[in-house]
Amino acid sequence: MRAVETQLVFKSSEAVMLKCVEGSQNLVSSLLPKLIDAIKNNKTTEAIKALEEARLRILEIIQDVDKMVQRYETLNKDVATTTSDIITEKKETEIALQRLSEEQQAIKDSIKKLEGQLNDTNAETEEIQRKIDVKNNQLQRAVRDLAAETQKMTIVAVFVPFIGPIIKAATESKFVPEATANIRRLEAELNGLHSLKASAKQRAWNLQVQLIDKRMSLAKIQTDLGIIPKPTYLQDVQIYLSKNQKVLTELKAFWNNVHSLLGVIKNKTFVGEDLINEPDLKEEFLKSMHTSSEIWGMFGVSCNKSVKIFQSQAKDAYKFLEINPTSLSTEEWQKQYDLVKNQLENLKVSGNLATSAIEK
């Protein structure tokens, strides 16, 4: 919005300068010669009419210039506000990035911790499984030893390949109670190991769920970090806005100078108007008109120089804001950066030229 407004102001400046050129040429080539001719021929009424027409033209130009001064003042304040907003945005962005970076690191630390716990739990599960395998072997040997004691138990062991029925059969047969007790002990220990394994697997699952949640949170933060523009770009925009603001300040001073100079020229143009009705003093009045004509001529030349400056500024002002820097490669970014710097340097020079042009 500021960029468009600036370009419009520069184009308006060009238009007002052209009006100054046109007004100066009109005064030099038409109105003042008409006034001088009327005085020479003692046509007081026509002289007064020409003088009033010149006054209206000059006042119209002064009013246009005054409006330009006000527009530059308003625009300059707006750009200053934008620059301030950029500074605030940059600080807020840096804080947001810092916060997200800290959150990202905290989540990464949590993920690392959870992964460690999961690895430990998986290792614990594998160790329990090894103990289960050992205990199973012990139990199977105990059952085979018990089954070998009698013909009946052997048959049960062959046809009923489950430990429970075998133990039941051994108990009912009243044979080798010590062996039966040992089998029951091994069975209890095996059940305990299975319980430990189930608990470890549940812990592993819970850790997996937590890891999924943390990794999703990490992905969201990384996405947020990718969306936030780098503060470097904001810092560069801030620098460019400040440079443009300096140009606007210089141009406002330029228009103030134009406004003041027009006031001086106006006063010099009409300094002898009271002499119109004094025939004896008409030579002095004519001399004053010739001087005014020369001044208006020089003013028109200066304004013509300024027109070209405003044409250049309207084309290049804030052009850097038309490009999204985050979409550029590093090489293209540097290329655009250097181009903008050169444009702004030229714009800065133009501002100085604009000020000096009217002073000359």
Side-chain angles (χ1 to χ4, degrees):
M1 183 178 67
R2 302 286 181 254
V4 171
E5 178 62 20
T6 300
Q7 290 169 337
L8 289 175
V9 168
F10 284 161
K11 294 298 289 183
S12 298
S13 297
E14 178 188 345
V16 173
M17 279 287 99
L18 285 172
K19 191 169 185 177
C20 288
V21 173
E22 181 186 358
S24 299
Q25 290 175 345
N26 186 264
L27 283 165
V28 172
S29 62
S30 179
L31 290 178
L32 292 181
K34 188 190 297 184
L35 177 59
I36 292 171
D37 184 68
I39 293 297
K40 283 182 178 179
N41 294 299
N42 296 319
K43 297 179 180 179
T44 304
T45 302
E46 291 184 13
I48 292 173
K49 184 179 178 181
L51 193 65
E52 190 58 32
E53 186 177 351
R55 189 198 311 276
L56 291 174
R57 289 290 183 90
I58 294 169
L59 288 175
E60 185 180 341
I61 292 174
I62 290 174
Q63 288 172 356
D64 288 340
V65 171
D66 184 59
K67 290 177 182 177
M68 288 308 306
V69 172
Q70 298 305 318
R71 285 187 68 178
Y72 271 99
E73 183 173 354
T74 300
L75 180 59
N76 201 6
K77 289 178 180 178
D78 288 344
V79 173
T81 301
T82 302
T83 306
S84 177
D85 291 343
I86 289 292
I87 294 171
T88 301
E89 182 69 20
K90 179 174 174 290
K91 289 180 179 177
E92 291 178 354
T93 300
E94 288 172 344
I95 291 172
L97 286 173
Q98 179 65 27
R99 177 180 59 78
L100 288 174
S101 296
E102 290 174 355
E103 289 182 12
Q104 178 180 235
Q105 188 57 50
I107 291 175
K108 285 182 176 179
D109 292 342
S110 296
I111 289 175
K112 186 176 181 181
K113 182 179 179 181
L114 288 170
E115 287 175 340
Q117 292 175 348
L118 181 59
N119 290 334
D120 292 342
T121 303
N122 288 335
E124 180 184 349
T125 303
E126 291 174 2
E127 179 61 26
I128 293 172
Q129 184 60 50
R130 282 193 292 270
K131 291 180 179 179
I132 288 173
D133 293 340
V134 170
K135 198 64 65 176
N136 261 327
N137 289 333
Q138 291 175 355
L139 183 58
Q140 287 172 9
R141 283 197 302 269
V143 169
R144 283 197 299 270
D145 292 343
L146 179 61
E149 294 290 330
T150 66
Q151 180 71 25
K152 181 180 178 181
M153 290 296 296
T154 303
I155 293 172
V156 173
V158 171
F159 290 99
V160 187
F162 299 104
I163 293 174
I166 292 173
I167 294 175
K168 184 174 184 295
T171 303
E172 289 174 352
S173 67
K174 306 299 182 181
F175 292 124
V176 286
E178 296 84 0
T180 303
N182 183 47
I183 289 174
R184 288 189 178 280
R185 177 182 62 77
L186 290 171
E187 183 186 30
E189 291 176 356
L190 186 61
N191 289 336
L193 288 171
H194 278 297
S195 178
L196 288 175
K197 180 182 175 182
S199 177
K201 289 184 73 173
Q202 183 61 48
R203 287 203 310 274
W205 173 250
N206 292 338
L207 289 168
Q208 287 282 14
V209 171
Q210 292 180 57
L211 274 170
I212 291 171
D213 181 60
K214 291 295 182 183
R215 284 169 178 156
M216 289 177 66
S217 298
L218 179 61
K220 182 179 183 304
I221 285 180
Q222 289 172 336
T223 300
D224 292 342
L225 281 168
I227 292 173
I228 296 177
K230 294 180 181 179
T232 307
Y233 298 137
L234 295 176
Q235 183 176 354
D236 290 336
V237 171
Q238 177 191 338
I239 292 171
Y240 295 151
L241 286 175
S242 296
K243 286 190 175 183
N244 275 267
Q245 187 183 358
K246 185 177 180 182
V247 174
L248 291 174
T249 302
E250 291 176 352
L251 288 171
K252 180 178 177 292
F254 162 81
W255 283 109
N256 278 327
N257 289 340
V258 174
H259 192 267
S260 299
L261 185 58
L262 279 169
V264 172
I265 297 175
K266 178 179 76 71
N267 291 335
K268 286 188 177 182
T269 302
F270 302 113
V271 69
E273 64 178 317
D274 294 337
L275 304 178
I276 289 180
N277 294 314
E278 300 291 338
D280 296 338
L281 300 176
K282 73 175 183 180
E283 291 300 325
E284 185 176 346
F285 179 75
L286 289 173
K287 183 179 179 181
S288 173
M289 289 298 100
H290 283 299
T291 301
S292 296
S293 182
E294 292 176 1
I295 293 172
W296 279 108
M298 290 186 290
F299 177 74
V301 170
S302 296
C303 291
N304 204 27
K305 292 179 181 178
S306 300
V307 168
K308 297 177 181 179
I309 294 169
F310 286 116
Q311 287 174 340
S312 172
Q313 290 168 331
K315 179 182 177 183
D316 296 330
Y318 293 102
K319 195 171 183 179
F320 66 94
L321 287 178
E322 298 172 5
I323 300 171
N324 177 11
T326 58
S327 66
L328 304 177
S329 64
T330 303
E331 295 77 13
E332 185 62 24
W333 186 92
Q334 188 63 46
K335 181 180 176 182
Q336 291 294 335
Y337 182 91
D338 294 337
L339 179 63
V340 167
K341 281 178 65 178
N342 291 333
Q343 287 177 342
L344 287 168
E345 287 303 319
N346 291 333
L347 188 61
K348 180 179 179 182
V349 171
S350 297
N352 292 333
L353 285 175
T355 304
S356 60
I358 198 64
E359 288 174 351
K360 293 178 180 178

